[in-house]
Structure formats: C-alpha cells, structure tokens
Amino acid sequence: MSEWILEFAGTSYSYPCGSRSAIHDLNLKVPAGKRCGLIGQNGCGKTTFFLLANGLYQPQQGIISWRGEPFRYDRKSLMQLRQQIGLVFQNPEHQLVASTVEEDISYGLYNLGLRESEIAQQVQQAIEQFDLSELAREPIHNLSLGQKKRVSIADIMVLKPKLLLLDEPTAYLDPRHTRQLIGLLQQIHSTGTTILLASHDLDFIYRWADWVFVMDRGKLILEGTPETVFAQRDVLEQLQLGVPLAIELMEQIRAMFPADDRSKNPAFEQWQQQILQARRLL
Ligand SMILES: Nc1ncnc2c1ncn2[C@@H]1O[C@H](COP(=O)(O)OP(=O)(O)OP(=O)(O)O)[C@@H](O)[C@H]1O
C-alpha cells in the first residue's frame, strides 16, 4: 500500500464568481492509516478542499490522486471514488435526501446494489451505533440539527469508506454525542480507515489527531505531529488560531520553573503529568 492515500499536487480551484482562488497551488498528501486534523481560519478553504477531495469539484489546475492514480471525472469513476472516499458535510441539510432516518441510511447501500437482507442488517447496525433507534422511523424534517448531523455521519459510515472526510463533525452535537462520536471514530480508525477531519476545536485536534494540517488562504502552511505543529506558536498566532489549552498551560508551568531546576524538581514533573492527564480529558 502507498504511504499516501490521497494527494493534492499544485492544485488550484476558484469559484466562478470568486475574486481569488479558494484553493491555491495546494500540495498536500494525506498519510494512509492516520487520524488527520485540518485546521485553519474561517474561509481558508477547508470545505472547498473536501469538495475537491471527493470529486464534487474539479480543480482548474493541478492533479488530485487517489492511491497514486489521478482522479477521473467521468460518472462511473466518480461513483467508484465516492465509495472509497466518504464525505460528511458540515451542514447536514446539504446531505440528507430521503424521508425517514432508516431510508436515508439505506440510500447509499441501495446504490451499491446490495441485497435487501444485507441492507436491512447494515442499516440496523448503524442505527444502533449512532444511537438513532428512537428516531429510525421519524421523518427527517422533524429532527433537530444535531440529530440530523448524526444521521448524516451514519449515512457515510455505513458505506465503510477507506478514507473518511468529516467537515466540522462535532458542530451541532451536544457533549454526550461528541464523546460518542470520538469513540466511534476510534473504532473506525482501528479497522484501518484513514480519517481526515476539519475542526476549529484545537483542544480536540491536539488530543485526537496524530497528524495535523494547517491551511491558510487555500495553501498548506504547516503539517506534522500535533506536538511539532502546536509548538509553532508564532505561526499559529500570526494566523490568529492560537494554541490548545494544554500547550498554553504547559508554557505557563515552564515559566514558573527555571530551566536548570526542572529536571531536579518533582513539582515540575507532577505539573507535567497533570497537564497530560487534562489533555486526555479536554
Ligand atoms: N459558492 C461559493 N462561491 C464563491 N466563493 C465561495 C463559495 N464557497 C466558498 N467561497 C469562498 O472560498 C473561500 C474558501 O471557503 P471555504 O468554505 O472552503 O472555507 P472554510 O475554511 O471551509 O471556512 P469555514 O471554516 O468558515 O467553514 C472563502 O473565501 C469563501 O468566501
């Protein structure tokens, strides 16, 4: 298997009535098997990146490749591509198509041509996984935005994509369902699925991701492990993104202990452990 599952090379995309390109000469490789976080200010191009990444938009310049093969934009190739690359939209209203929750979750499975019994079994499994049992027969238009969000995530996950793209998945979710989603992402990742998720929640990205991309004005500015990316405070502050709370706290603790005292002082070690613990809880 290639080291990179998805690759953008010199990719640019402008909206027909946009004054500048939303994605500008973007070079970005998504590492296979990782949990990747994508961060950047409002309007930096995250959503446009996702729409390009699952072939809904075609770049005017550059190439996007899936497992080393450049995207093809004919109908059949796009259908195949979208079975491999699942995109959960930021706004669930843009994704849900059927009248009831059950029907919506089964929609993609029918398109794959599966047998009725298999579809019924997979839909039931997704309904349980996403805590949707009480809503299964409910008309979609009766659901709250947070409930619609859960259905839209279930719609994609039921298709078992190799790469799962999620645009702000925790938007509209309450803390309980956010925790549940994080648990599910963990399960999905453990089955070998690569995940790329955009979020404005730096604490969540710091805790969850093992690779982080930072975008600004349609370009990749930084990438690396959360530790290396969030150590670049100057760059992140220039982009007005700030740093996760755990990093902020760690810096304050470091300022309290002189450098030559840290290795000898048990209090410093204790503080560090407390912050690591807090990072897991954030
Ligand atoms: N349909 C559109 N027509 C014209 N310009 C657009 C359109 N959609 C987005 N843009 C512009 O493209 C740029 C990138 O927008 P995009 O939605 O990809 O950013 P984003 O990082 O997802 O933002 P957010 O964090 O607010 O969701 C912005 O300047 C935006 O104004």
Side-chain angles (χ1 to χ4, degrees), residues 13-82:
Y13 180 85
S14 302
Y15 286 95
C17 52
S19 53
R20 62 179 173 84
S21 44
I23 293 293
H24 185 70
D25 192 21
L26 178 67
N27 294 294
L28 187 154
K29 294 175 179 178
V30 179
K34 298 259 189 216
R35 283 169 299 197
C36 305
L38 174 61
I39 58 172
Q41 280 186 1
N42 286 137
C44 75
K46 300 180 295 298
T47 299
T48 311
F49 167 82
F50 283 133
L51 296 171
L52 287 162
N54 111 325
L56 277 164
Y57 290 169
Q58 187 169 355
Q60 288 100 358
Q61 270 177 45
I63 289 176
I64 307 173
S65 308
W66 170 246
R67 293 177 152 169
E69 292 291 320
F71 278 18
R72 297 212 310 246
Y73 290 89
D74 59 279
R75 204 178 145 81
K76 188 167 165 234
S77 305
L78 285 175
M79 285 264 294
Q80 286 167 353
L81 187 78
R82 290 185 195 135

Side-chain angles (χ1 to χ4, degrees), residues 28 57 70 86 102 113 133 144 161 170 178 196 236 255-256:
L28 187 154
Y57 290 169
E102 262 177 353
S133 303
S144 74
T170 55
T178 300
L196 173 56
L236 296 169
M256 281 163 50

